[in-house]
Amino acid sequence: MSRCIQLTIGIPTYNRAGLLAEQLNRLSQEGLGDEVEILVSDNASLDSTVEIAESFRERMGRHFVVATNERNAGFDGNIFTLYKKARGRYLWFLSDDDSFFPGTVARLLQIVRTEKDCGLIALPGFNMLPYESHEGGHIIQLLPWSPTGNAISVVLGQRFRLTANEFERFGLISAASQISHCVVRRGASIDNAERGGGVLQSRIANLNLLSEPHYYILPEPAIKQGDWTEVSNTFMESTLFGIRELYSSADMQFSREVVDFASVQNCLFAIRLLRAHYAGENPTRINFPSVGRGFADRLMRLFGGAYHQLDSAVEDLLDVAKQHQR
């Protein structure tokens, strides 16, 4: 790990040359210096992604690296490549298609210089705006939609130590689960991309919080939230199935209560997306195979006893999907 590089900005990409060019152009205007590394990990793209990335070399400074996977390693594999190859003390996972507000890199640099022992730094988007003022700053609530009564208030812009309440840790990982909202300290050892559940950045964030139980949430939005026009198969797979497998992993150190809560809530969200899609209530394009009885059986096997919390929503989805297919 280089001493001079404080922050690696890791960009996973695949067949999105145009979007990558826009992202690199935004970063080139951030006044990058020797403390910032830009690391692009290309997942064996078939378009001009690598050529586009290389064309930015002169503008991006001396800490600019383009890594190319020999084969498409999937989303988790690409995130693993970034974690393995990054040289900065902190790593910001930045999607190739997420816009950020000008000055975000400078703000992050200031935080990582001063907050040297945070396992996780979360970047709020518009869906995580302060809802209450406090003498110490603005407050957001982790898991504000939680029916468990475990919502936890956090003052933005301050460093905190994790408490023994594991719902706090789950809430933090949820807040940073979307790529581009997650900055990790790179202290935990990650040997491979297995058990990533399609959201390996969440696993990495959790393991780093376990090894360094301090966190920081930026006091202002950093990522520009856009309208969802398309939902990928990777997102649907991870939300319906992968998160269950991820949180069930022993080294994540979550109780069965949290595993059930986390996976059921995420699965229900994805089911609602699918239902709205089949019912024509949402114009969002969803890249996911047609659902049928095999879909329900797969969920039943994976969720076990917790499936009773999904049963009625799944049956309703199957009915709506069957009518749509007619």
Side-chain angles (χ1 to χ4, degrees):
M1 188 185 300
S2 173
R3 290 185 178 180
C4 68
I5 299 177
Q6 298 291 332
L7 176 68
T8 292
I9 302 174
I11 308 172
T13 190
Y14 174 68
N15 280 353
R16 300 213 280 195
L19 290 171
L20 178 63
E22 293 176 13
Q23 189 67 288
L24 291 177
N25 186 58
R26 279 189 288 268
L27 286 169
S28 70
Q29 299 174 43
E30 286 289 289
L32 306 173
D34 285 343
E35 292 180 291
V36 179
E37 174 187 46
I38 306 296
L39 172 60
V40 176
S41 181
D42 173 62
N43 220 356
S45 292
L46 302 175
D47 65 0
S48 60
T49 293
V50 173
E51 290 80 4
I52 289 293
E54 290 291 350
S55 72
F56 278 83
R57 187 168 295 282
E58 201 170 306
R59 276 184 277 174
M60 303 307 287
R62 67 189 185 97
H63 296 312
F64 180 66
V65 179
V66 179
T68 304
N69 296 328
E70 293 183 2
R71 59 177 179 80
N72 189 327
F75 179 80
D76 283 347
N78 217 11
I79 292 293
F80 177 62
T81 296
L82 290 171
Y83 192 75
K84 181 173 61 175
K85 292 183 178 295
R87 294 179 293 162
R89 291 178 51 251
Y90 283 83
L91 169 61
W92 177 20
F93 295 110
L94 177 64
S95 176
D96 54 15
D97 65 346
D98 282 340
S99 298
F100 55 85
F101 289 102
T104 294
V105 174
R107 290 196 291 273
L108 277 177
L109 264 179
Q110 182 61 35
I111 293 167
V112 301
R113 287 186 192 121
T114 56
E115 307 297 341
K116 298 183 183 301
D117 57 356
C118 285
L120 173 67
I121 299 171
L123 284 71
F126 279 120
N127 61 337
M128 196 178 171
L129 285 169
Y131 72 92
E132 181 183 341
S133 294
H134 183 267
E135 61 182 8
H138 292 298
I139 295 175
I140 58 96
Q141 198 173 53
L142 298 175
L143 307 184
W145 38 268
S146 168
T148 65
N150 284 294
I152 298 163
S153 296
V154 176
V155 179
L156 299 179
Q158 294 186 19
R159 172 178 165 274
F160 285 94
R161 182 177 178 85
L162 277 174
T163 66
N165 185 344
E166 62 179 336
F167 276 93
E168 179 184 14
R169 180 159 50 94
F170 164 60
L172 286 166
I173 298 168
S174 297
S177 63
Q178 294 183 47
I179 187 172
S180 302
H181 294 259
C182 182
V183 182
V184 296
R185 193 182 62 104
R186 293 188 61 240
S189 174
I190 311 292
D191 296 327
N192 55 59
E194 295 179 5
R195 300 190 311 280
V199 282
L200 184 63
Q201 70 275 13
S202 294
R203 176 177 176 77
I204 291 172
N206 182 62
L207 296 183
N208 274 283
L209 275 172
L210 289 172
S211 67
E212 179 44 74
H214 291 88
Y215 64 91
Y216 184 103
I217 303 176
L218 266 67
E220 65 281 316
I223 304 299
K224 299 179 181 179
Q225 302 296 111
D227 295 329
W228 283 19
T229 57
E230 183 171 353
V231 178
S232 70
N233 182 72
T234 297
F235 175 87
M236 294 302 296
E237 276 286 326
S238 63
T239 309
L240 288 163
F241 307 106
I243 287 175
R244 178 73 177 182
E245 296 172 339
L246 172 67
Y247 279 82
S248 297
S249 179
D251 61 359
M252 291 288 283
Q253 297 185 32
F254 282 115
S255 67
R256 178 53 56 184
E257 179 187 11
V258 172
V259 171
D260 287 348
F261 175 73
S263 56
V264 166
Q265 292 300 321
N266 279 280
C267 189
L268 286 172
F269 169 71
I271 288 172
R272 286 193 292 269
L273 276 180
L274 284 171
R275 190 195 186 285
H277 170 70
Y278 285 119
E281 299 168 356
N282 191 329
T284 299
R285 180 176 179 271
I286 297 180
N287 181 14
F288 194 73
S290 298
V291 298
R293 185 51 55 185
F295 169 81
D297 291 343
R298 184 181 173 192
L299 283 172
M300 195 179 302
R301 289 193 301 270
L302 181 62
F303 279 80
Y307 182 75
H308 73 277
Q309 300 179 60
L310 302 171
D311 183 44
S312 61
V314 172
E315 293 303 316
D316 178 55
L317 170 62
L318 295 184
D319 288 342
V320 173
K322 188 173 181 180
Q323 294 173 25
H324 171 79
Q325 289 159 12
R326 288 175 184 167

PDB file of all heavy atoms in Angstrom, residues 116-150:
ATOM      1  N   LYS A 116      -8.518   8.554  10.225  1.00  0.00           N
ATOM      2  CA  LYS A 116      -7.637   7.503   9.713  1.00  0.00           C
ATOM      3  C   LYS A 116      -8.082   6.089  10.084  1.00  0.00           C
ATOM      4  O   LYS A 116      -7.518   5.125   9.600  1.00  0.00           O
ATOM      5  CB  LYS A 116      -6.206   7.748  10.207  1.00  0.00           C
ATOM      6  CG  LYS A 116      -5.612   9.074   9.725  1.00  0.00           C
ATOM      7  CD  LYS A 116      -4.179   9.219  10.198  1.00  0.00           C
ATOM      8  CE  LYS A 116      -3.594  10.569   9.795  1.00  0.00           C
ATOM      9  NZ  LYS A 116      -3.603  10.777   8.337  1.00  0.00           N
ATOM     10  N   ASP A 117      -9.075   5.961  10.936  1.00  0.00           N
ATOM     11  CA  ASP A 117      -9.425   4.627  11.406  1.00  0.00           C
ATOM     12  C   ASP A 117     -10.911   4.327  11.274  1.00  0.00           C
ATOM     13  O   ASP A 117     -11.511   3.724  12.149  1.00  0.00           O
ATOM     14  CB  ASP A 117      -8.977   4.429  12.855  1.00  0.00           C
ATOM     15  CG  ASP A 117      -9.577   5.477  13.790  1.00  0.00           C
ATOM     16  OD1 ASP A 117     -10.262   6.387  13.301  1.00  0.00           O
ATOM     17  OD2 ASP A 117      -9.381   5.358  15.013  1.00  0.00           O
ATOM     18  N   CYS A 118     -11.516   4.747  10.161  1.00  0.00           N
ATOM     19  CA  CYS A 118     -12.920   4.417   9.906  1.00  0.00           C
ATOM     20  C   CYS A 118     -12.983   3.199   8.996  1.00  0.00           C
ATOM     21  O   CYS A 118     -12.421   3.207   7.904  1.00  0.00           O
ATOM     22  CB  CYS A 118     -13.639   5.590   9.238  1.00  0.00           C
ATOM     23  SG  CYS A 118     -14.017   6.956  10.358  1.00  0.00           S
ATOM     24  N   GLY A 119     -13.692   2.164   9.449  1.00  0.00           N
ATOM     25  CA  GLY A 119     -13.851   0.999   8.595  1.00  0.00           C
ATOM     26  C   GLY A 119     -14.700   1.304   7.378  1.00  0.00           C
ATOM     27  O   GLY A 119     -14.517   0.721   6.314  1.00  0.00           O
ATOM     28  N   LEU A 120     -15.642   2.252   7.539  1.00  0.00           N
ATOM     29  CA  LEU A 120     -16.560   2.591   6.455  1.00  0.00           C
ATOM     30  C   LEU A 120     -16.850   4.085   6.471  1.00  0.00           C
ATOM     31  O   LEU A 120     -17.083   4.677   7.524  1.00  0.00           O
ATOM     32  CB  LEU A 120     -17.878   1.818   6.615  1.00  0.00           C
ATOM     33  CG  LEU A 120     -19.011   2.181   5.650  1.00  0.00           C
ATOM     34  CD1 LEU A 120     -18.659   1.785   4.222  1.00  0.00           C
ATOM     35  CD2 LEU A 120     -20.316   1.515   6.071  1.00  0.00           C
ATOM     36  N   ILE A 121     -16.831   4.681   5.279  1.00  0.00           N
ATOM     37  CA  ILE A 121     -17.319   6.037   5.070  1.00  0.00           C
ATOM     38  C   ILE A 121     -18.459   5.928   4.066  1.00  0.00           C
ATOM     39  O   ILE A 121     -18.289   5.360   2.986  1.00  0.00           O
ATOM     40  CB  ILE A 121     -16.217   6.970   4.530  1.00  0.00           C
ATOM     41  CG1 ILE A 121     -15.066   7.067   5.530  1.00  0.00           C
ATOM     42  CG2 ILE A 121     -16.782   8.358   4.228  1.00  0.00           C
ATOM     43  CD1 ILE A 121     -13.846   7.794   4.999  1.00  0.00           C
ATOM     44  N   ALA A 122     -19.631   6.441   4.431  1.00  0.00           N
ATOM     45  CA  ALA A 122     -20.803   6.354   3.559  1.00  0.00           C
ATOM     46  C   ALA A 122     -21.090   7.711   2.936  1.00  0.00           C
ATOM     47  O   ALA A 122     -21.017   8.748   3.609  1.00  0.00           O
ATOM     48  CB  ALA A 122     -22.022   5.867   4.348  1.00  0.00           C
ATOM     49  N   LEU A 123     -21.394   7.693   1.642  1.00  0.00           N
ATOM     50  CA  LEU A 123     -21.747   8.906   0.911  1.00  0.00           C
ATOM     51  C   LEU A 123     -23.256   8.924   0.712  1.00  0.00           C
ATOM     52  O   LEU A 123     -23.789   8.090  -0.020  1.00  0.00           O
ATOM     53  CB  LEU A 123     -21.070   8.947  -0.462  1.00  0.00           C
ATOM     54  CG  LEU A 123     -19.592   9.305  -0.515  1.00  0.00           C
ATOM     55  CD1 LEU A 123     -18.725   8.191   0.037  1.00  0.00           C
ATOM     56  CD2 LEU A 123     -19.172   9.621  -1.945  1.00  0.00           C
ATOM     57  N   PRO A 124     -23.957   9.842   1.350  1.00  0.00           N
ATOM     58  CA  PRO A 124     -25.413   9.864   1.194  1.00  0.00           C
ATOM     59  C   PRO A 124     -25.830  10.379  -0.171  1.00  0.00           C
ATOM     60  O   PRO A 124     -25.169  11.226  -0.769  1.00  0.00           O
ATOM     61  CB  PRO A 124     -25.867  10.817   2.299  1.00  0.00           C
ATOM     62  CG  PRO A 124     -24.705  11.733   2.512  1.00  0.00           C
ATOM     63  CD  PRO A 124     -23.478  10.891   2.268  1.00  0.00           C
ATOM     64  N   GLY A 125     -26.940   9.866  -0.674  1.00  0.00           N
ATOM     65  CA  GLY A 125     -27.564  10.401  -1.870  1.00  0.00           C
ATOM     66  C   GLY A 125     -28.807  11.166  -1.459  1.00  0.00           C
ATOM     67  O   GLY A 125     -29.048  11.420  -0.274  1.00  0.00           O
ATOM     68  N   PHE A 126     -29.639  11.554  -2.428  1.00  0.00           N
ATOM     69  CA  PHE A 126     -30.846  12.299  -2.103  1.00  0.00           C
ATOM     70  C   PHE A 126     -31.824  11.464  -1.286  1.00  0.00           C
ATOM     71  O   PHE A 126     -32.713  11.998  -0.638  1.00  0.00           O
ATOM     72  CB  PHE A 126     -31.530  12.781  -3.385  1.00  0.00           C
ATOM     73  CG  PHE A 126     -30.906  14.028  -3.951  1.00  0.00           C
ATOM     74  CD1 PHE A 126     -30.361  14.032  -5.210  1.00  0.00           C
ATOM     75  CD2 PHE A 126     -30.858  15.185  -3.193  1.00  0.00           C
ATOM     76  CE1 PHE A 126     -29.787  15.176  -5.735  1.00  0.00           C
ATOM     77  CE2 PHE A 126     -30.279  16.340  -3.704  1.00  0.00           C
ATOM     78  CZ  PHE A 126     -29.746  16.338  -4.978  1.00  0.00           C
ATOM     79  N   ASN A 127     -31.689  10.131  -1.335  1.00  0.00           N
ATOM     80  CA  ASN A 127     -32.574   9.283  -0.549  1.00  0.00           C
ATOM     81  C   ASN A 127     -32.126   9.206   0.902  1.00  0.00           C
ATOM     82  O   ASN A 127     -32.688   8.472   1.691  1.00  0.00           O
ATOM     83  CB  ASN A 127     -32.617   7.878  -1.144  1.00  0.00           C
ATOM     84  CG  ASN A 127     -31.249   7.212  -1.140  1.00  0.00           C
ATOM     85  OD1 ASN A 127     -30.234   7.890  -1.111  1.00  0.00           O
ATOM     86  ND2 ASN A 127     -31.228   5.894  -1.186  1.00  0.00           N
ATOM     87  N   MET A 128     -31.127   9.968   1.272  1.00  0.00           N
ATOM     88  CA  MET A 128     -30.594   9.906   2.630  1.00  0.00           C
ATOM     89  C   MET A 128     -30.315  11.317   3.132  1.00  0.00           C
ATOM     90  O   MET A 128     -29.325  11.594   3.783  1.00  0.00           O
ATOM     91  CB  MET A 128     -29.302   9.080   2.613  1.00  0.00           C
ATOM     92  CG  MET A 128     -28.828   8.591   3.955  1.00  0.00           C
ATOM     93  SD  MET A 128     -27.328   7.606   3.731  1.00  0.00           S
ATOM     94  CE  MET A 128     -26.862   7.396   5.446  1.00  0.00           C
ATOM     95  N   LEU A 129     -31.199  12.254   2.794  1.00  0.00           N
ATOM     96  CA  LEU A 129     -31.031  13.636   3.227  1.00  0.00           C
ATOM     97  C   LEU A 129     -31.299  13.772   4.728  1.00  0.00           C
ATOM     98  O   LEU A 129     -32.078  13.002   5.297  1.00  0.00           O
ATOM     99  CB  LEU A 129     -31.991  14.544   2.467  1.00  0.00           C
ATOM    100  CG  LEU A 129     -31.615  14.844   1.011  1.00  0.00           C
ATOM    101  CD1 LEU A 129     -32.794  15.536   0.321  1.00  0.00           C
ATOM    102  CD2 LEU A 129     -30.386  15.714   0.929  1.00  0.00           C
ATOM    103  N   PRO A 130     -30.692  14.771   5.386  1.00  0.00           N
ATOM    104  CA  PRO A 130     -30.988  14.990   6.808  1.00  0.00           C
ATOM    105  C   PRO A 130     -32.475  15.266   7.001  1.00  0.00           C
ATOM    106  O   PRO A 130     -33.102  15.955   6.219  1.00  0.00           O
ATOM    107  CB  PRO A 130     -30.154  16.230   7.141  1.00  0.00           C
ATOM    108  CG  PRO A 130     -29.084  16.276   6.091  1.00  0.00           C
ATOM    109  CD  PRO A 130     -29.697  15.692   4.865  1.00  0.00           C
ATOM    110  N   TYR A 131     -33.035  14.700   8.045  1.00  0.00           N
ATOM    111  CA  TYR A 131     -34.449  14.928   8.298  1.00  0.00           C
ATOM    112  C   TYR A 131     -34.670  15.761   9.555  1.00  0.00           C
ATOM    113  O   TYR A 131     -35.793  16.148   9.865  1.00  0.00           O
ATOM    114  CB  TYR A 131     -35.208  13.600   8.433  1.00  0.00           C
ATOM    115  CG  TYR A 131     -34.947  12.838   9.701  1.00  0.00           C
ATOM    116  CD1 TYR A 131     -35.758  13.012  10.820  1.00  0.00           C
ATOM    117  CD2 TYR A 131     -33.878  11.961   9.801  1.00  0.00           C
ATOM    118  CE1 TYR A 131     -35.522  12.330  11.992  1.00  0.00           C
ATOM    119  CE2 TYR A 131     -33.633  11.272  10.969  1.00  0.00           C
ATOM    120  CZ  TYR A 131     -34.453  11.459  12.057  1.00  0.00           C
ATOM    121  OH  TYR A 131     -34.202  10.770  13.219  1.00  0.00           O
ATOM    122  N   GLU A 132     -33.611  16.069  10.268  1.00  0.00           N
ATOM    123  CA  GLU A 132     -33.763  16.792  11.525  1.00  0.00           C
ATOM    124  C   GLU A 132     -32.453  17.520  11.841  1.00  0.00           C
ATOM    125  O   GLU A 132     -31.368  17.002  11.612  1.00  0.00           O
ATOM    126  CB  GLU A 132     -34.083  15.792  12.646  1.00  0.00           C
ATOM    127  CG  GLU A 132     -34.284  16.414  14.016  1.00  0.00           C
ATOM    128  CD  GLU A 132     -34.528  15.363  15.091  1.00  0.00           C
ATOM    129  OE1 GLU A 132     -34.888  14.218  14.719  1.00  0.00           O
ATOM    130  OE2 GLU A 132     -34.349  15.677  16.274  1.00  0.00           O
ATOM    131  N   SER A 133     -32.575  18.744  12.354  1.00  0.00           N
ATOM    132  CA  SER A 133     -31.388  19.490  12.767  1.00  0.00           C
ATOM    133  C   SER A 133     -31.084  19.199  14.231  1.00  0.00           C
ATOM    134  O   SER A 133     -31.973  18.902  15.024  1.00  0.00           O
ATOM    135  CB  SER A 133     -31.598  20.992  12.569  1.00  0.00           C
ATOM    136  OG  SER A 133     -31.706  21.289  11.200  1.00  0.00           O
ATOM    137  N   HIS A 134     -29.823  19.299  14.555  1.00  0.00           N
ATOM    138  CA  HIS A 134     -29.373  18.997  15.905  1.00  0.00           C
ATOM    139  C   HIS A 134     -28.194  19.906  16.181  1.00  0.00           C
ATOM    140  O   HIS A 134     -27.501  20.352  15.251  1.00  0.00           O
ATOM    141  CB  HIS A 134     -28.957  17.522  15.998  1.00  0.00           C
ATOM    142  CG  HIS A 134     -28.536  17.084  17.361  1.00  0.00           C
ATOM    143  ND1 HIS A 134     -27.224  17.094  17.772  1.00  0.00           N
ATOM    144  CD2 HIS A 134     -29.258  16.602  18.402  1.00  0.00           C
ATOM    145  CE1 HIS A 134     -27.156  16.640  19.016  1.00  0.00           C
ATOM    146  NE2 HIS A 134     -28.367  16.338  19.413  1.00  0.00           N
ATOM    147  N   GLU A 135     -27.922  20.185  17.446  1.00  0.00           N
ATOM    148  CA  GLU A 135     -26.821  21.088  17.770  1.00  0.00           C
ATOM    149  C   GLU A 135     -25.479  20.558  17.279  1.00  0.00           C
ATOM    150  O   GLU A 135     -24.551  21.313  17.034  1.00  0.00           O
ATOM    151  CB  GLU A 135     -26.768  21.327  19.275  1.00  0.00           C
ATOM    152  CG  GLU A 135     -26.528  20.064  20.107  1.00  0.00           C
ATOM    153  CD  GLU A 135     -26.537  20.339  21.596  1.00  0.00           C
ATOM    154  OE1 GLU A 135     -26.883  21.472  21.986  1.00  0.00           O
ATOM    155  OE2 GLU A 135     -26.201  19.423  22.355  1.00  0.00           O
ATOM    156  N   GLY A 136     -25.389  19.234  17.101  1.00  0.00           N
ATOM    157  CA  GLY A 136     -24.163  18.649  16.589  1.00  0.00           C
ATOM    158  C   GLY A 136     -24.144  18.509  15.083  1.00  0.00           C
ATOM    159  O   GLY A 136     -23.180  18.044  14.504  1.00  0.00           O
ATOM    160  N   GLY A 137     -25.231  18.888  14.411  1.00  0.00           N
ATOM    161  CA  GLY A 137     -25.303  18.758  12.961  1.00  0.00           C
ATOM    162  C   GLY A 137     -26.645  18.196  12.540  1.00  0.00           C
ATOM    163  O   GLY A 137     -27.618  18.227  13.295  1.00  0.00           O
ATOM    164  N   HIS A 138     -26.724  17.697  11.327  1.00  0.00           N
ATOM    165  CA  HIS A 138     -27.955  17.105  10.820  1.00  0.00           C
ATOM    166  C   HIS A 138     -28.011  15.626  11.197  1.00  0.00           C
ATOM    167  O   HIS A 138     -26.987  14.952  11.280  1.00  0.00           O
ATOM    168  CB  HIS A 138     -28.044  17.257   9.308  1.00  0.00           C
ATOM    169  CG  HIS A 138     -28.214  18.665   8.855  1.00  0.00           C
ATOM    170  ND1 HIS A 138     -29.306  19.439   9.200  1.00  0.00           N
ATOM    171  CD2 HIS A 138     -27.424  19.452   8.089  1.00  0.00           C
ATOM    172  CE1 HIS A 138     -29.179  20.634   8.666  1.00  0.00           C
ATOM    173  NE2 HIS A 138     -28.053  20.670   7.988  1.00  0.00           N
ATOM    174  N   ILE A 139     -29.227  15.120  11.377  1.00  0.00           N
ATOM    175  CA  ILE A 139     -29.438  13.735  11.781  1.00  0.00           C
ATOM    176  C   ILE A 139     -30.143  12.980  10.659  1.00  0.00           C
ATOM    177  O   ILE A 139     -31.070  13.489  10.039  1.00  0.00           O
ATOM    178  CB  ILE A 139     -30.299  13.651  13.053  1.00  0.00           C
ATOM    179  CG1 ILE A 139     -29.564  14.275  14.243  1.00  0.00           C
ATOM    180  CG2 ILE A 139     -30.676  12.209  13.377  1.00  0.00           C
ATOM    181  CD1 ILE A 139     -30.376  14.342  15.510  1.00  0.00           C
ATOM    182  N   ILE A 140     -29.673  11.780  10.386  1.00  0.00           N
ATOM    183  CA  ILE A 140     -30.429  10.862   9.546  1.00  0.00           C
ATOM    184  C   ILE A 140     -30.762   9.648  10.400  1.00  0.00           C
ATOM    185  O   ILE A 140     -30.213   9.459  11.492  1.00  0.00           O
ATOM    186  CB  ILE A 140     -29.670  10.433   8.262  1.00  0.00           C
ATOM    187  CG1 ILE A 140     -28.334   9.763   8.607  1.00  0.00           C
ATOM    188  CG2 ILE A 140     -29.482  11.610   7.343  1.00  0.00           C
ATOM    189  CD1 ILE A 140     -28.364   8.282   8.659  1.00  0.00           C
ATOM    190  N   GLN A 141     -31.660   8.848   9.906  1.00  0.00           N
ATOM    191  CA  GLN A 141     -32.063   7.663  10.652  1.00  0.00           C
ATOM    192  C   GLN A 141     -31.750   6.424   9.825  1.00  0.00           C
ATOM    193  O   GLN A 141     -32.203   6.288   8.693  1.00  0.00           O
ATOM    194  CB  GLN A 141     -33.556   7.719  10.974  1.00  0.00           C
ATOM    195  CG  GLN A 141     -33.975   6.786  12.097  1.00  0.00           C
ATOM    196  CD  GLN A 141     -35.425   7.001  12.487  1.00  0.00           C
ATOM    197  OE1 GLN A 141     -36.300   6.967  11.647  1.00  0.00           O
ATOM    198  NE2 GLN A 141     -35.673   7.224  13.763  1.00  0.00           N
ATOM    199  N   LEU A 142     -30.932   5.541  10.371  1.00  0.00           N
ATOM    200  CA  LEU A 142     -30.675   4.268   9.720  1.00  0.00           C
ATOM    201  C   LEU A 142     -31.925   3.401   9.825  1.00  0.00           C
ATOM    202  O   LEU A 142     -32.552   3.330  10.881  1.00  0.00           O
ATOM    203  CB  LEU A 142     -29.495   3.557  10.387  1.00  0.00           C
ATOM    204  CG  LEU A 142     -28.139   4.283  10.334  1.00  0.00           C
ATOM    205  CD1 LEU A 142     -27.103   3.507  11.134  1.00  0.00           C
ATOM    206  CD2 LEU A 142     -27.671   4.472   8.905  1.00  0.00           C
ATOM    207  N   LEU A 143     -32.299   2.756   8.737  1.00  0.00           N
ATOM    208  CA  LEU A 143     -33.487   1.900   8.689  1.00  0.00           C
ATOM    209  C   LEU A 143     -34.754   2.639   9.108  1.00  0.00           C
ATOM    210  O   LEU A 143     -35.494   2.174   9.967  1.00  0.00           O
ATOM    211  CB  LEU A 143     -33.314   0.669   9.581  1.00  0.00           C
ATOM    212  CG  LEU A 143     -32.061  -0.166   9.368  1.00  0.00           C
ATOM    213  CD1 LEU A 143     -32.090  -1.388  10.254  1.00  0.00           C
ATOM    214  CD2 LEU A 143     -31.917  -0.572   7.923  1.00  0.00           C
ATOM    215  N   PRO A 144     -35.031   3.796   8.513  1.00  0.00           N
ATOM    216  CA  PRO A 144     -36.244   4.532   8.916  1.00  0.00           C
ATOM    217  C   PRO A 144     -37.520   3.772   8.579  1.00  0.00           C
ATOM    218  O   PRO A 144     -38.574   4.037   9.144  1.00  0.00           O
ATOM    219  CB  PRO A 144     -36.153   5.828   8.106  1.00  0.00           C
ATOM    220  CG  PRO A 144     -35.311   5.479   6.924  1.00  0.00           C
ATOM    221  CD  PRO A 144     -34.308   4.486   7.432  1.00  0.00           C
ATOM    222  N   TRP A 145     -37.423   2.792   7.646  1.00  0.00           N
ATOM    223  CA  TRP A 145     -38.583   2.001   7.246  1.00  0.00           C
ATOM    224  C   TRP A 145     -38.717   0.723   8.066  1.00  0.00           C
ATOM    225  O   TRP A 145     -39.580  -0.095   7.812  1.00  0.00           O
ATOM    226  CB  TRP A 145     -38.448   1.606   5.769  1.00  0.00           C
ATOM    227  CG  TRP A 145     -37.036   1.265   5.384  1.00  0.00           C
ATOM    228  CD1 TRP A 145     -36.095   2.118   4.876  1.00  0.00           C
ATOM    229  CD2 TRP A 145     -36.383   0.009   5.512  1.00  0.00           C
ATOM    230  NE1 TRP A 145     -34.904   1.469   4.666  1.00  0.00           N
ATOM    231  CE2 TRP A 145     -35.051   0.168   5.046  1.00  0.00           C
ATOM    232  CE3 TRP A 145     -36.784  -1.245   5.962  1.00  0.00           C
ATOM    233  CZ2 TRP A 145     -34.129  -0.875   5.037  1.00  0.00           C
ATOM    234  CZ3 TRP A 145     -35.861  -2.281   5.942  1.00  0.00           C
ATOM    235  CH2 TRP A 145     -34.559  -2.081   5.490  1.00  0.00           C
ATOM    236  N   SER A 146     -37.859   0.571   9.064  1.00  0.00           N
ATOM    237  CA  SER A 146     -37.816  -0.679   9.816  1.00  0.00           C
ATOM    238  C   SER A 146     -39.057  -0.866  10.688  1.00  0.00           C
ATOM    239  O   SER A 146     -39.373  -0.005  11.515  1.00  0.00           O
ATOM    240  CB  SER A 146     -36.572  -0.702  10.714  1.00  0.00           C
ATOM    241  OG  SER A 146     -36.649  -1.764  11.631  1.00  0.00           O
ATOM    242  N   PRO A 147     -39.764  -1.995  10.541  1.00  0.00           N
ATOM    243  CA  PRO A 147     -40.902  -2.272  11.423  1.00  0.00           C
ATOM    244  C   PRO A 147     -40.480  -2.886  12.754  1.00  0.00           C
ATOM    245  O   PRO A 147     -41.310  -3.217  13.582  1.00  0.00           O
ATOM    246  CB  PRO A 147     -41.712  -3.297  10.605  1.00  0.00           C
ATOM    247  CG  PRO A 147     -40.673  -4.040   9.828  1.00  0.00           C
ATOM    248  CD  PRO A 147     -39.600  -3.030   9.501  1.00  0.00           C
ATOM    249  N   THR A 148     -39.174  -3.041  12.958  1.00  0.00           N
ATOM    250  CA  THR A 148     -38.694  -3.725  14.158  1.00  0.00           C
ATOM    251  C   THR A 148     -38.490  -2.785  15.343  1.00  0.00           C
ATOM    252  O   THR A 148     -38.237  -3.235  16.445  1.00  0.00           O
ATOM    253  CB  THR A 148     -37.342  -4.409  13.873  1.00  0.00           C
ATOM    254  OG1 THR A 148     -36.366  -3.388  13.594  1.00  0.00           O
ATOM    255  CG2 THR A 148     -37.445  -5.337  12.684  1.00  0.00           C
ATOM    256  N   GLY A 149     -38.565  -1.477  15.087  1.00  0.00           N
ATOM    257  CA  GLY A 149     -38.273  -0.524  16.150  1.00  0.00           C
ATOM    258  C   GLY A 149     -36.787  -0.331  16.375  1.00  0.00           C
ATOM    259  O   GLY A 149     -36.375   0.246  17.378  1.00  0.00           O
ATOM    260  N   ASN A 150     -35.974  -0.806  15.426  1.00  0.00           N
ATOM    261  CA  ASN A 150     -34.528  -0.713  15.594  1.00  0.00           C
ATOM    262  C   ASN A 150     -33.901   0.418  14.790  1.00  0.00           C
ATOM    263  O   ASN A 150     -32.706   0.407  14.535  1.00  0.00           O
ATOM    264  CB  ASN A 150     -33.872  -2.038  15.171  1.00  0.00           C
ATOM    265  CG  ASN A 150     -34.050  -3.116  16.226  1.00  0.00           C
ATOM    266  OD1 ASN A 150     -33.522  -3.015  17.316  1.00  0.00           O
ATOM    267  ND2 ASN A 150     -34.828  -4.121  15.892  1.00  0.00           N
TER     268      ASN A 150
END
